[in-house]
Amino acid sequence: MLTGGCHCGAVRYEAGGEPFERALCHCELCRKTTGAPAVAWFTVREADLTMSGEPVRYASSDHAERTFCGRCGTQISFRDAAYADRIDITTASLDDPEAAPPVEQIWVRSRPSWMASAHTLPDDLERRPLKA
């Protein structure tokens, strides 16, 4: 069972079954709806997902809907009308994001050029405190 939810805890979910897709998406819609350069998703059957709380629904295109927490803004899911029996869940919203890591990248033609070399950026392991 995969469990997760939003940042503030108002929306929670449990996803049963084994995820059958796990991808890092670079499409423009994912980037714009999250403000992130890419979004990691895992896919489960709609029937295997239980969600509590009241996620807000947003039609991000004429065929797709996303849900997010109305309080803290965390995006939780993506549903495409062409695949009504399945739902994509944001991997970073998992309690343990290591439980369903991406195994492929999709929409790479939309990827910002600087993302191709992001793995070469130096790590700041000290987590410097912010200056007042």
Side-chain angles (χ1 to χ4, degrees):
M1 182 72 62
L2 298 172
T3 62
C6 67
H7 179 260
C8 72
V11 176
R12 296 285 304 159
Y13 64 82
E14 292 182 345
E18 191 69 26
F20 53 90
E21 289 184 2
R22 297 178 314 194
L24 184 62
C25 183
H26 298 280
C27 81
E28 182 178 357
L29 283 174
C30 283
R31 291 195 327 263
K32 290 285 189 176
T33 58
T34 63
V39 178
W41 298 98
F42 66 93
T43 306
V44 295
R45 298 275 173 225
E46 177 94 36
D48 293 334
L49 180 70
T50 303
M51 200 172 295
S52 62
E54 296 187 29
V56 175
R57 300 185 185 292
Y58 170 67
S60 58
S61 71
D62 61 348
H63 61 89
E65 175 183 87
R66 295 167 191 267
T67 63
F68 60 94
C69 174
R71 185 184 307 163
C72 69
T74 302
Q75 187 170 313
I76 302 292
S77 72
F78 171 84
R79 181 182 296 111
D80 190 319
Y83 306 98
D85 65 330
R86 61 191 234 174
I87 188 166
D88 299 331
I89 306 295
T90 53
T91 305
S93 70
L94 281 167
D95 293 335
D96 177 12
E98 297 291 335
V103 295
E104 64 180 335
Q105 297 185 67
I106 57 176
W107 295 98
V108 293
R109 290 186 188 149
S110 300
R111 178 177 60 197
S113 62
W114 51 266
M115 272 296 289
S117 61
H119 67 282
T120 66
L121 295 172
D123 293 335
D124 182 357
L125 301 178
E126 296 176 20
R127 294 196 54 175
R128 295 180 203 128
L130 295 175
K131 295 181 180 179

